[in-house]
Amino acid sequence: MRTLGIETSCDETAVAVLDGDGRIEFALLSSQIATHAPFGGVVPEVASREHLKALPLLVDQALQRAGGPPELVAVTAGPGLVGALLVGVRFAAAFAWGRAIDMVAVDHLDGHQVSPFLDLDGGPARVAPTPVLGLVASGGHSAWYLTGAEETTRLCRTRDDAAGETFDKVAKVLGLPYPGGPGVDRLARLGQGADTTFRQPRLKDETRDFSFSGLKSAAIREIRARGLEGLGEERVGQAGRDLMASFEAAVVRQLLTPLPDFVKEHRPVVITASGGVAANTLLRRELEAAGASLGVEILLPPLGLTTDNAAMIARAGQLARQRGRRDDPRRMDVIAREVWHPPGMRRQIERQHAAEKASFASQGEC
Ligand code: KG4
Ligand code: ZN
């Protein structure tokens, strides 16, 4: 099924067309980074308006340049900014309805998870073996998932900031442009990290969940203590480069700490990483090293597909359609943030939330 993918969950308007084997026939992205940069982060209303301008133009180009007319529309329906998502979802619904073709609503995180199986050099998408152990680390999410033949289970997640958000917030204090992850990556490559600068958090429960907010505060404190605030990439000097190397190492270490246990427990065939943070040089290097020592294949998305894109949404939609999923364009809605999950995960997440609520209540913190 030739599939049109549409992604508007945050600050990139992205459109792609995949043929029935998941070959990318067309992919185009209009980034709003420059528009939001003066604000130091994404302004939701501005994002929606920019999507509204760009989306029809991109789809027009997609229709002209793809190998043929799409037979399926896949669109990100959450999580994300509600207004931004609505632009994509309503457009996709009208497109599907007007052309009498199928439509599938896609979870943005499912999209990231299939990105390692796509080929940017014109090849078909690789069929994912199971089980897959997958890290999704982006500006809004940080979690490990296990995808088996039947369903996807979340093994752990961040309790507060996402890894990408942590990079962005620390980078902002240092005076790096938004999004800050690539700048921290560049500085860290030129620095010498010290293992002792940042401690790893310890959660007082059985989960292997992450917590990045303490690390974020500690990094910001260090930036200020060393007089590096607002200096920017050119002026932070070796002290800034070294600090960013330590900070980046602490983020990566935390993301990879549960990996050996997860491998032992779930015996994955492949380990993947996806989301914007999967572009990080140290994370990619450490994952490759972990894969070699654990004896498991590591599959990383091409750099061009780590951050938000529509090819991954089209592919996730294609796979969902193959499993029988179809959404009614007249009833499409958007669910922002945590509430949108693949059907197989809903019960697990409800149980987790109930347990967390109970544990917070018993600590008197809620
Ligand atoms: O997946 P993505 O495009 O958007 C979300 O779904 O959030 O991820 C964007 C995030 C940003 O926080 C950005 O700083 C981070 O990915 N990022 C990186 C790198 N490239 C992008 N973080 C660390 N190192 C990088 N090289
Ligand atoms: Zn994303």
Side-chain angles (χ1 to χ4, degrees):
M1 262 197 165
R2 176 169 287 108
T3 306
L4 170 69
I6 295 177
E7 154 66 39
T8 63
S9 67
C10 193
D11 58 346
E12 325 269 16
T13 318
V15 165
V17 179
L18 267 54
D19 77 3
D21 297 321
R23 252 182 222 93
I24 303 174
E25 291 185 342
F26 174 87
L28 198 60
L29 186 145
S30 163
S31 172
Q32 304 174 6
I33 286 181
T35 313
H36 297 286
F39 304 100
V42 179
V43 184
E45 180 60 22
V46 174
S48 311
R49 286 166 191 256
E50 292 292 312
H51 288 311
L52 213 47
K53 277 194 263 174
L55 187 55
L57 302 175
L58 295 188
V59 172
D60 213 36
Q61 287 204 40
L63 296 179
Q64 284 173 34
R65 288 170 42 195
E71 301 153 280
L72 175 71
V73 186
V75 61
T76 307
L81 303 170
V82 186
L85 289 164
L86 269 171
V87 175
V89 166
R90 294 316 317 165
F91 188 99
F95 188 91
W97 179 247
R99 293 181 168 234
I101 60 173
D102 286 343
M103 165 176 186
V104 171
V106 173
D107 183 321
H108 183 79
L109 301 181
D110 279 354
H112 276 306
Q113 297 227 61
V114 301
S115 63
F117 299 95
L118 290 170
D119 184 6
L120 265 186
D121 297 320
R126 188 171 146 187
V127 177
T130 54
V132 177
L133 187 56
L135 171 69
V136 180
S138 71
H141 306 274
S142 303
W144 278 100
Y145 294 90
L146 183 71
T147 302
E150 298 296 320
E151 67 167 16
T152 298
T153 325
R154 189 171 63 193
L155 301 176
C156 72
R157 65 177 173 122
T158 180
R159 290 289 184 88
D160 38 58
D161 293 341
E165 187 181 1
T166 312
F167 276 115
D168 295 342
K169 288 178 174 168
V170 168
K172 189 176 175 183
V173 179
L174 201 60
L176 306 184
Y178 175 85
V184 173
D185 195 338
R186 282 193 299 274
L187 286 172
R189 300 286 67 74
L190 304 169
Q192 194 73 48
D195 245 14
T196 47
T197 312
F198 300 109
R199 272 181 305 163
Q200 293 290 310
R202 279 215 203 112
L203 292 180
K204 292 193 194 92
D205 57 30
E206 305 278 285
T207 69
R208 296 188 183 88
D209 283 352
F210 309 124
S211 170
F212 289 106
S213 73
L215 173 59
K216 172 191 68 185
S217 306
I220 291 174
R221 262 198 315 275
E222 283 298 321
I223 290 173
R224 293 192 172 132
R226 297 178 192 198
L228 300 169
E229 186 167 4
L231 289 187
E233 194 166 338
E234 302 305 321
R235 295 197 294 135
V236 290
Q238 199 53 39
R241 296 192 273 269
D242 291 346
L243 186 61
M244 286 306 100
S246 304
F247 162 66
E248 179 196 68
V251 175
V252 169
R253 196 175 343 130
Q254 196 179 157
L255 289 172
L256 298 188
T257 295
L259 183 58
D261 282 350
F262 287 155
V263 167
K264 218 183 286 163
E265 283 162 32
H266 305 289
R267 306 249 157 246
V269 186
V270 177
I271 297 169
T272 64
S274 59
V277 179
N280 182 264
T281 313
L282 182 68
L283 179 64
R284 292 175 85 93
R285 200 192 297 151
E286 293 285 312
L287 266 170
E288 295 288 1
S293 82
L294 295 164
V296 186
E297 182 191 357
I298 300 289
L299 192 61
L300 301 172
L303 282 180
L305 293 177
T306 52
T307 46
D308 292 349
N309 64 86
M312 68 184 194
I313 301 301
R315 184 60 183 160
Q318 247 173 13
L319 295 172
R321 184 71 198 90
Q322 276 168 21
R323 289 191 300 268
R325 175 153 183 163
R326 200 165 55 180
D327 291 286
D328 183 345
R330 292 165 306 176
R331 293 176 191 277
M332 269 311 301
D333 207 346
V334 182
I335 307 171
R337 293 267 138 218
E338 281 272 312
V339 202
W340 180 272
H341 290 293
M345 280 184 58
R346 271 188 207 130
R347 213 166 320 136
Q348 182 210 352
I349 281 157
E350 276 162 18
R351 274 201 304 270
Q352 241 172 42
H353 283 181
E356 271 163 27
K357 245 195 204 151
S359 103
F360 276 131
S362 68
Q363 292 164 21
E365 285 178 19
C366 196

